[in-house]
Amino acid sequence: MSDADHAIEGLPFVAPCHALPPGAPLRWLRRGWADLAAAPGASLTYGAGIALISAAVSAIALRFGTGWLLLVLLSSFIFVAPVLAIGLYAISARLEHGGRPSLAACLAATRRHLGDALVYSLILMVICLVWVRAGSAVEIFFPEQAVPSRGALIGFFAIGSAVGSLFALVAFAASAFSLPMFVDRRTDAVTAVVTSVNAVLRNKRAMALWAVLIVLSVAVGFATALVGLAVTMPLIGHATWHAYRETIDAGAGPANDD
């Protein structure tokens, strides 16, 4: 029995998924770059908007908060990035169907799916709130010595990193394919999220590589004072659309008329 058959048998409300080779994410990046090259105006303008929003939020954090607040906001970028990329999925969808993508159509698609995005954002907000609470609880492991040893500090940061990574993985599994599914099909948030988690769990090796590539692309954006996000966000957004199309078999669901 195939993975798709198992998915349908075990979870009847989940769209089935295909088995992926470990190197599939590299193919998604190539296709994403092709979409970026085919629609540079709309893609880069959208990416520049994301970079400007990120810069504005960072400036506010530094002006009215502290460096720690900025660090928290940058760490939570993984929670909001998929929602910001909805317009990029719409560009790739139009290119796939032979249409002419434009920034206006991209923004219109974002508005159409705003309700779905808000429900999804609510789910992520709950995850984020639990993450913050867990982060506060980790403070009990902070060394009690006035001058902690290097080993004690390493242990504390290892525990904190493990807790943060766990919540980041939950967010990644929930968002990997759910938002492109909103653009492609008329579906509810719960079905899309569970479909995404199911596909990630059934393709662990490929999705582990995909997670690493996403982290690296975001790191490049941050390392270039957020300017690089104008390119890396469109690239990852377009590649995510191709990841969804290659992985999720959502043909049984009603298509959107975007």
Side-chain angles (χ1 to χ4, degrees), residues 133-144:
R133 183 60 179 172
S136 300
V138 169
E139 292 181 4
I140 65 175
F141 295 100
F142 191 82
E144 296 181 357

Side-chain angles (χ1 to χ4, degrees), residues 235-252:
L235 175 61
I236 293 298
H238 293 315
T240 299
W241 172 258
H242 292 286
Y244 159 75
R245 294 292 286 165
E246 184 175 328
T247 307
I248 305 300
D249 182 9

